[in-house]
Amino acid sequence: MSPGTAVGQAVTWLNDPLNWTNPGGILDRLTEHVTISAAAVLLGAVVAWPLGVWLGHSGRGGAVVLAVSNVTLAIPTLALLTILPLTFLGFGQRPVIVALSVFAVPPLLANAYTGVRSVDPQTRDAARGMGLSGWQLLTRVELPLAVPYLAAGFRTAAVQVVATAALAAFVNGGGLGQIIAAGFGLSIAVGGGQVLAGGLLVALLALAVEGLLALVQRVLTPRPLRRAGRSGDGAVTAGA
Amino acid sequence: MSLRRLEDAANPWVSWQYVHDNADSILAALREHVTLTAEAVVLAAVVAIPLAVVAYWFRPLSGPILALSGVLYTIPSLALFAFLAPLSTDTGLVLSALVMYALLLIVRNALTGLRQVPAEVRDAAQGMGYGRFARLLRIELPLALPGILTGLRLATVSTVALTTVGVLIGHGGLGQLILGGFRNNFYRAPILTGTVLAVALALVLDLLLAGAGRLVTPWARRGRR
């Protein structure tokens, strides 16, 4: 089949309103995709942020952060997605959310750690000199200064999770990937267009989340800090 | 509950019997995985390092080059395989997708490495009469090696993990074992065997590259990651 016909079929498929509104149609899958991704990123943040901030505050554990990112990078997403449903988590969305949150942890953790760590030591000394306790130092000085980093980590993690969530279709976990998987299940003459359309939807969603969160990150970053840019970004990303 | 326990006994995660009986197909999957990973990383390096040099020489181009590889990197792997699937379903397809993902990691790290060459060193080289290419080959690229190696290591580890997704079009190396087990009535032994082999492969390749890196950059014993 030539690529041209596949594109034509994809457009036709996307133009059929029933493909959007049917049960298990695009709107259902989109909702699932966003719900799963949001839950996974939030779960990851609940675990990774306190840990990263605490490690950064106490100035220890750089090796831990590095080890976590390296090991999670080496675990195939597909492996966790297939293993977890066979454990006590059972089938459905729960194991998918847990699996995805594992991959959200490294960028969240690394950026939280770097953010707190990179607070100017002089600022920290000044705060200490003003009589702030360790807790006050953390909540009033270090955390506000680390917000750009936290936002950058959140963005990296969210984009990665949205992209990876498509793989949940392999284990029937829902999300836009199901459209692609269903397309592969059909004969290529019919399915080619649907596969392409599904791919297009997933890619657009990932790019939209990236753009949206870039905007949020910019708004959250105080003006003087904006030049710092996205850091800790290159260390721990996996496109999958 | 007892039913579940019975099921657990009949379907263990670790089964030497399985490994023994299926040694051939496991080795074939491993071989495909290693081949795909090696080819992808080498191809990506061949494309990415010249790109990094171009971005280094012509500063205005570095923005677009990084942005383009960044967009390629953001496209979900499943979507990419879906785009390419109508074209063909052979290993070349998996390979090209893997190359696209490895590209960004290598370009970004190589560029960082090149930019870390101290200005004095470059001036000294120029003063000694090095031309642009001689300076690149003899001074800048060797000094950027730690950055390039970081990129290669990250690319290798993530490519090993990503190759499993190729199972979508039937060429996923160890991914074939993992998904095959899942689809074959949740047969656990192949799932865990494939996973352990994939993680081990990633760690071994990472160690090998780290060792090679130490050998070729004896001056950077305490180098950056």
Side-chain angles (χ1 to χ4, degrees), chain A residues 7-234:
Chain A
V7 173
Q9 284 174 347
V11 172
T12 316
W13 192 85
L14 284 173
N15 257 327
D16 185 343
L18 282 182
N19 284 335
W20 288 79
T21 51
N22 268 346
I26 297 174
L27 293 179
D28 277 6
R29 296 304 182 200
L30 185 66
T31 318
E32 276 173 10
H33 203 105
V34 173
T35 321
I36 292 175
S37 307
V41 176
L42 289 182
L43 182 61
V46 166
V47 175
W49 274 350
L51 186 64
V53 168
W54 179 71
L55 287 176
H57 177 69
S58 61
R60 283 173 304 189
V64 175
V65 176
L66 199 62
V68 167
S69 9
N70 287 346
V71 170
T72 39
L73 196 60
I75 303 175
T77 319
L78 187 64
L80 269 195
L81 281 173
T82 45
I83 288 176
L84 289 181
L86 304 183
T87 62
F88 66 94
L89 288 167
F91 291 88
Q93 294 192 355
R94 254 193 310 171
V96 172
I97 291 172
V98 174
L100 293 177
S101 69
V102 169
F103 295 97
V105 164
L108 293 165
L109 184 68
N111 278 288
Y113 177 79
T114 321
V116 175
R117 221 37 278 180
S118 61
V119 171
D120 191 342
Q122 290 183 347
T123 313
R124 211 174 272 146
D125 285 349
R128 285 275 187 205
M130 287 167 68
L132 265 60
S133 70
W135 178 251
Q136 286 171 325
L137 175 69
L138 179 67
T139 51
R140 296 204 197 155
V141 179
E142 289 175 332
L143 270 185
L145 284 173
V147 164
Y149 286 87
L150 294 177
F154 191 84
R155 168 180 165 196
T156 311
V159 173
Q160 201 175 306
V161 164
V162 166
T164 317
L167 296 180
F170 276 129
V171 295
N172 219 351
L176 287 172
Q178 299 276 139
I179 295 174
I180 301 174
F184 271 105
L186 303 170
S187 71
I188 195 75
V190 201
Q194 188 178 337
V195 166
L196 201 58
L200 202 63
L201 290 169
V202 179
L204 282 179
L205 182 64
L207 292 174
V209 170
E210 163 84 10
L212 188 71
L213 288 179
L215 206 67
V216 172
Q217 185 192 343
R218 211 183 140 70
V219 171
L220 280 180
T221 307
R223 203 172 300 259
L225 292 177
R226 272 184 199 164
R227 289 196 40 195
R230 303 173 70 180
S231 58
D233 204 28

Side-chain angles (χ1 to χ4, degrees), chain B residues 16 33 40 68 78 85 93 98 116 132 151 159 162 191 200:
Chain B
W16 293 114
H33 208 107
L68 181 69
L78 194 71
L93 184 79
L98 293 176
Q116 273 172 351
R132 182 176 250 191
T159 303
L162 200 56
I191 299 181

Side-chain angles (χ1 to χ4, degrees), chain B:
Chain B
M1 235 24 237
S2 64
L3 186 69
R4 168 166 254 188
R5 217 167 295 136
L6 196 69
E7 192 192 53
D8 281 355
N11 187 6
W13 284 106
V14 183
S15 161
W16 293 114
Q17 187 65 39
Y18 163 80
V19 176
H20 185 259
D21 291 348
N22 296 278
D24 286 346
S25 57
I26 295 174
L27 278 179
L30 185 63
R31 202 173 299 126
E32 187 183 45
H33 208 107
V34 173
T35 317
L36 273 173
T37 306
E39 285 174 351
V41 173
V42 169
L43 271 177
V46 167
V47 179
I49 294 176
L51 269 180
V53 170
V54 169
Y56 174 62
W57 276 348
F58 309 103
R59 247 173 195 274
L61 286 181
S62 60
I65 287 177
L66 285 180
L68 181 69
S69 42
V71 168
L72 285 181
Y73 194 76
T74 309
I75 296 175
S77 51
L78 194 71
L80 193 58
F81 283 119
F83 291 154
L84 299 174
L87 302 177
S88 79
T89 52
D90 61 4
T91 32
L93 184 79
V94 182
L95 193 60
S96 41
L98 293 176
V99 169
M100 281 192 209
Y101 285 113
L103 215 53
L104 173 75
L105 294 171
I106 304 180
V107 170
R108 191 154 58 184
N109 284 289
L111 188 58
T112 314
L114 283 169
R115 286 196 178 147
Q116 273 172 351
V117 176
E120 309 90 73
V121 174
R122 257 180 310 173
D123 287 349
Q126 203 153 17
M128 286 170 73
Y130 279 104
R132 182 176 250 191
F133 280 94
R135 204 173 71 191
L136 180 75
L137 290 180
R138 302 231 191 127
I139 312 283
E140 289 164 335
L141 279 181
L143 283 179
L145 267 178
I148 295 174
L149 277 164
T150 306
L152 287 179
R153 285 175 63 186
L154 280 174
T156 307
V157 173
S158 57
T159 303
V160 170
L162 200 56
T163 303
T164 55
V165 179
V167 70
L168 186 68
I169 48 176
H171 296 282
L174 295 166
Q176 303 289 133
L177 297 183
I178 297 175
L179 199 66
F182 190 83
R183 288 190 175 153
N184 186 10
N185 243 334
F186 315 117
Y187 188 11
R188 290 170 175 171
I191 299 181
L192 199 73
T193 310
T195 308
V196 169
L197 284 177
V199 173
L201 180 63
L203 297 182
V204 166
L205 290 179
D206 192 46
L207 280 180
L208 281 180
L209 279 175
R214 278 177 78 91
L215 284 183
V216 295
T217 58
W219 62 88
R221 273 292 132 86
R222 292 209 56 228
R224 300 162 359 85
R225 289 195 289 123

